[in-house]
Amino acid sequence: MEVCNLPLSPSQRAKLVSAGYTTIFSLSSISPLDLARDLNVSHNEAAQILKIALQSTRFDQSINNNASIVTGGQTAWDMLREEQFITRITTSCEDLDNILGGGINCQEVTEIGGVPGIGKTQMGIQLAVNVQIPLECGGLGGKAIYIDTEGSFMVERVFQIAEACIEDLLESRVFQQQDYQACRERMQPKTFLTNIFYFRVCSYTEQIALINYLEKFITENRDVKIVIIDSITFHFRQDFDDLALRTRVLSGMALKLMKLAKSFSLAIVLLNQVTTKFTEGSFQLTLALGDSWSHACTNRVILYWNGSERFAYLDKSPSLRSASAPYSVTSNLWNDELCHPYLWAHFKRSIMLLGASSWLTHRGSFRSVAV
Amino acid sequence: MANKKIADMGLPKSIANLFAARNILTAKDALSLTEFELMELLDVGLAQVISAVAHISEITCPPFQTAHSLMEERHHNEHLAGHLPTQLKGLDEALCGGIPFGALTELVGPPGIGKTQFCLKLALLAALPINHGGLNGRVIYIDIESKFSSKRMIEIGAKSFPEIFRLEGMAKEMAGRILVLRPASLSEFTESLQQIQLSVLQNQVKLIIVDSIAGLVSGEHEREAPRQHSLGWHISFLKSLAEFSRIPVVVTNQVRSQSCGDAMYSFQVQNEHEIVKDPERLELHLVAALGIHWAHAVTTRLVLEASSG
């Protein structure tokens, strides 16, 4: 192995090469003192270089000796066993959970995209609440990080969803009489809200900075089990002219997110916008940020309208088959029953003043304006 | 925070100097590069670069708040928890109290449905004293299509709030709080937005209305692509203006007709032949102008429609 492949700075590399140390082998039997003299650097620096060289020889040898003991590797069998313990976060919609294999996977990056008003932010908020369902109710009892790039996070809505979620949990507990009262006291919408860490990001630089910083933040707050970015797209769509830079920055970000998901075993959910793309003579909808970004996420879910019903489509997953499931956004929960189609209107971003009776009241008072 | 100087971040002197020498001056410059690019540029080891990037990131990244503290803050500091009531009962209920502060609300509807009338009423409401359900502030009304009518507004005021408008001089005071701007072109519009940014906080501006944003671009651009691009800046500007001054921003949008069904995802297209057979899909129907990019940026969209019968 060549010295050029070591993770050293260019000037250190140049010094090594010009002093005749071209292979790692040539570094293996030299003392830091000699190296410092040969390269004309401080002892400390020489020791650093040797340390880096030593690490890479170890790696090198293990490849030659036995493929199964490469450091950092894991056999497929071990992975299978580990997978059985992967936890999932429910979406509160049974059909959607089914096509996702039980919910949003921890340890994976999931991208959710859809047209404006389809309920992406609702999905994000719902997950931030659902991750906090206590362990004894079959949840994760974790905390959530919500990164808002668009400014569409509505606290009132979080409160509503938290309330509804608690109602739901208590209802299923009613039959078990014991600890009902204790549960009731412990689960307050206030606690749910306290466990959501909200970051408002105003530029793509801040977005990158925050993702770099997350590792430290999560190390300090170990019980964070989900990171939601709403949306990954916004700043990258507004102020980027250099598309090559955009791709590079985005893929760097995707790698860091995947690493986070694995090392802290938490779920990462990225919300994405859609754009139109001209293919085969017609306009088609597709998720934003281009083709190379599509490779970045492990799972991809597309939310779409089918007539007047909302559907979710699992577009990409390494282990599950593509499938669709209907869902709806209601005043209380993101779930599979359709009720009060107009109450959630605000949160759906689009208010369709269509429902007959409600329309009439609006209409009536509106007329009085226009007299 | 993105333009914060690296020199002021308290990095070790030696590495801070290297950043300065390579003309990497702000967090934005540094974070747009990968760690390996930085290694090459600065000529230092990986470990140092990683710790420098971590340090810059930590300083640049915005502070967090829990959702709970966010809600407490809104309830404490803001009148009606951050909503401008429209005084239309059903609508206020659906909107959790009215047009939300800090967000972009869009009105969409066919010509003549009453978008401008709605805007006039909102302008009045924001100007009204607090004890009459208003915000007691100034209003900036950007009237792009020259539809604003003071006479009509006073008429609406006199009908809806006779008790205020009967008082001597009140009509003058209310109308005096509403500042109307009439930019003739996109560049003038851009200019007035930049001016507004400075005066919003100083002058107690409590509402910004833009009627109608579509009028501005439909005349100037023929093709789809430049239109999307040119408005991208305006919408994010309006949105951040709303958010950081914590005031409601209301924009109106026109509708245009679309002949066939909506654009679909590629996985839906397989079933397209079935959908096309459906005769209703072939009829003309109305959709909001300005495209999907614009719609993503809007926080709340109100669709005004006439019910048949």
Side-chain angles (χ1 to χ4, degrees), chain B residues 147-160:
Chain B
K147 282 178 185 159
F148 184 88
S149 152
S150 310
K151 191 170 151 244
R152 175 74 188 126
M153 192 181 67
I154 306 243
E155 202 177 288
I156 294 175
K159 272 265 197 287
S160 323

Side-chain angles (χ1 to χ4, degrees), chain A residues 20-279:
Chain A
Y21 297 102
T22 48
T23 63
I24 291 177
F25 183 71
S26 64
L27 286 172
S28 59
S29 56
I30 193 168
S31 76
L33 263 122
D34 291 339
L35 188 68
R37 200 191 52 230
D38 284 355
L39 301 186
N40 196 16
V41 294
S42 72
H43 288 177
N44 249 340
E45 204 177 330
Q48 275 293 324
I49 295 176
L50 284 180
K51 202 172 137 200
I52 292 169
L54 195 69
Q55 278 168 0
S56 38
T57 36
R58 232 185 260 144
F59 185 65
D60 225 24
Q61 275 168 4
S62 56
I63 289 178
N64 297 335
N65 291 349
N66 188 341
S68 69
I69 55 163
V70 174
T71 45
Q74 204 184 9
T75 65
W77 179 251
D78 289 340
M79 285 169 78
L80 179 70
R81 278 222 309 241
E82 225 168 74
E83 257 167 45
Q84 291 167 351
F85 296 105
I86 289 187
T87 42
R88 294 186 174 82
I89 302 162
T90 171
T91 58
S92 293
C93 168
E94 209 176 307
D95 288 342
L96 186 54
D97 278 353
N98 284 343
I99 65 166
L100 288 169
I104 304 285
N105 258 336
C106 287
Q107 296 193 24
E108 280 179 10
V109 179
T110 306
E111 183 184 25
I112 299 171
V115 293
I118 192 83
K120 299 185 292 295
T121 303
Q122 299 313 304
M123 176 81 158
I125 295 175
Q126 183 76 60
L127 288 170
V129 168
N130 284 356
V131 74
Q132 302 180 42
I133 298 174
L135 292 169
E136 60 267 27
C137 302
L140 266 73
K143 293 184 178 174
I145 293 181
Y146 199 98
I147 302 175
D148 184 13
T149 66
E150 301 196 357
S152 46
F153 185 78
M154 295 271 173
V155 238
E156 299 99 326
R157 181 61 180 150
V158 186
F159 192 85
Q160 278 186 347
I161 291 180
E163 261 182 338
C165 178
I166 292 168
E167 270 322 298
D168 232 39
L169 288 176
L170 289 176
E171 220 164 84
S172 60
R173 290 227 124 197
V174 163
F175 308 103
Q176 302 172 12
Q177 280 310 317
Q178 86 290 38
D179 66 21
Y180 175 77
Q181 205 56 37
C183 255
R184 169 131 235 159
E185 266 160 39
R186 208 148 35 83
M187 287 195 287
Q188 294 288 331
K190 216 174 98 183
T191 358
F192 274 72
L193 261 62
T194 323
N195 288 337
I196 299 175
F197 302 114
Y198 170 81
F199 288 88
R200 173 75 175 103
V201 166
C202 304
S203 71
Y204 77 89
T205 316
E206 284 186 18
Q207 194 171 334
I208 301 167
L210 178 55
I211 286 165
N212 287 338
Y213 172 65
L214 275 185
E215 191 172 345
K216 193 172 168 204
F217 186 83
I218 296 171
T219 320
E220 287 160 10
N221 299 276
R222 279 279 174 176
D223 36 8
V224 168
K225 282 287 160 231
I226 191 168
V227 177
I228 299 143
I229 306 186
D230 177 17
S231 69
I232 192 92
T233 334
F234 188 70
H235 296 300
F236 287 90
R237 259 185 125 171
Q238 307 294 346
D239 31 39
F240 251 100
D241 293 322
D242 183 354
L243 285 182
L245 176 65
R246 184 174 97 164
T247 311
R248 219 159 52 224
V249 168
L250 277 171
S251 56
M253 207 149 77
L255 278 179
K256 278 173 196 149
L257 289 171
M258 266 183 226
K259 203 177 133 207
L260 273 183
K262 283 273 176 243
S263 51
F264 295 97
S265 101
L266 45 82
I268 303 234
V269 175
L270 311 176
L271 304 182
N272 194 356
Q273 304 180 341
V274 298
T275 185
T276 46
K277 189 174 158 190
F278 194 74
T279 38

Side-chain angles (χ1 to χ4, degrees), chain B residues 124-292:
Chain B
L124 265 182
L125 282 169
L128 281 185
I130 287 180
N131 56 4
H132 287 92
L135 297 176
N136 200 22
R138 286 170 192 273
V139 177
I140 293 182
Y141 196 110
I142 304 182
D143 180 29
I144 291 164
E145 293 172 326
S146 295
K147 282 178 185 159
F148 184 88
S149 152
S150 310
K151 191 170 151 244
R152 175 74 188 126
M153 192 181 67
I154 306 243
E155 202 177 288
I156 294 175
K159 272 265 197 287
S160 323
F161 311 102
E163 68 284 3
I164 299 177
F165 278 77
R166 231 179 277 133
L167 296 173
E168 190 70 28
M170 264 321 242
K172 190 182 166 197
E173 199 189 326
M174 290 298 112
R177 288 179 177 176
I178 297 166
L179 178 72
V180 183
L181 293 173
R182 287 199 162 138
S185 67
L186 198 59
S187 53
E188 269 184 58
F189 177 54
T190 312
E191 221 170 275
S192 40
L193 278 186
Q194 272 155 349
Q195 283 175 11
I196 287 171
Q197 186 185 25
L198 297 174
S199 60
V200 163
L201 286 176
Q202 293 162 6
N203 294 321
Q204 288 285 308
V205 173
K206 295 286 185 185
L207 174 68
I208 297 178
I209 295 174
V210 184
D211 180 31
S212 108
I213 207 128
L216 202 57
V217 276
S218 49
E220 289 195 13
H221 291 288
E222 283 293 297
R223 290 166 59 200
E224 189 79 2
R227 172 197 293 189
Q228 281 201 355
H229 193 78
S230 61
L231 277 180
W233 180 86
H234 296 94
I235 184 110
S236 50
F237 187 88
L238 280 172
K239 211 169 171 182
S240 62
L241 194 65
E243 201 177 341
F244 295 107
S245 345
R246 293 295 307 160
I247 54 170
V249 172
V250 177
V251 299
T252 63
N253 191 356
Q254 302 167 341
V255 291
R256 60 186 166 82
S257 53
Q258 200 176 49
S259 54
C260 54
D262 300 321
M264 285 185 292
Y265 296 103
S266 49
F267 65 83
Q268 282 178 283
V269 174
Q270 307 154 16
N271 307 326
E272 192 184 19
H273 54 279
E274 295 163 24
I275 296 164
V276 173
K277 274 179 203 157
D278 188 358
E280 277 175 42
R281 302 281 300 198
L282 289 172
E283 279 173 23
L284 285 177
H285 66 277
L286 297 172
V287 293
L290 294 176
I292 207 159

Side-chain angles (χ1 to χ4, degrees), chain B residues 114-135:
Chain B
K115 297 188 292 295
T116 302
Q117 303 300 314
F118 197 88
C119 287
L120 291 175
K121 175 102 188 239
L122 284 177
L124 265 182
L125 282 169
L128 281 185
I130 287 180
N131 56 4
H132 287 92
L135 297 176

Side-chain angles (χ1 to χ4, degrees), chain A residues 290-350:
Chain A
D291 288 333
S292 52
W293 171 256
S294 325
H295 297 282
C297 299
T298 320
N299 304 302
R300 177 173 253 191
V301 179
I302 297 178
L303 309 178
Y304 66 100
W305 289 104
N306 188 356
S308 55
E309 277 178 84
R310 292 175 153 98
F311 272 77
Y313 176 76
L314 184 65
D315 188 44
K316 178 188 160 194
S317 159
S319 53
L320 298 163
R321 66 188 192 88
S322 295
S324 304
Y327 72 94
S328 72
V329 180
T330 61
S331 63
N332 300 325
L333 275 176
W334 218 84
N335 65 21
D336 33 5
E337 273 169 64
L338 193 81
C339 60
H340 309 308
Y342 96 98
L343 277 174
W344 43 258
H346 171 35
F347 306 103
K348 187 184 137 256
R349 284 201 194 167
S350 338

